[in-house]
């Protein structure tokens, strides 16, 4: 999933600075289950968090 820099900035204002680590080309949002890593890709910021969450749910369901 990719979003614009403006959309990421708006999202980060909702999250709060105590849950965010900023780098030059990466933003890490700390979460209870797992961290979401946003990586710069040109003018967009992209994360694999939705796909990783989906894979975790499938793996858990298969184990049950």
């Amino acid at each position: 999933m990719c979003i614009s820099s403006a959309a990421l900035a708006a999202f980060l204002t909702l999250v709060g600075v105590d849950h965010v680590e900023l780098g030059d080309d990466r933003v890490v949002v700390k979460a209870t289950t797992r961290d979401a890593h946003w990586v710069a890709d040109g003018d967009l910021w992209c994360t694999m968090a939705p796909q990783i969450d989906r894979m975790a749910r499938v793996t858990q369901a298969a184990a049950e």
Side-chain angles (χ1 to χ4, degrees):
M1 172 171 75
C2 296
I3 59 176
S4 68
S5 295
L8 180 62
F11 169 66
L12 294 178
T13 63
L14 297 174
V15 172
V17 295
D18 54 330
H19 295 287
V20 177
E21 290 180 15
L22 300 175
D24 291 336
D25 64 344
R26 181 177 300 264
V27 174
V28 180
V29 178
K30 302 289 185 181
T32 305
T33 305
R34 69 186 56 81
D35 298 345
H37 293 252
W38 290 87
V39 180
D41 183 13
D43 293 336
L44 298 175
W45 288 85
C46 302
T47 185
M48 292 292 294
Q51 293 89 336
I52 293 169
D53 290 345
R54 186 170 37 252
M55 287 185 292
R57 286 192 302 272
V58 169
T59 301
Q60 180 181 6
E64 294 176 352

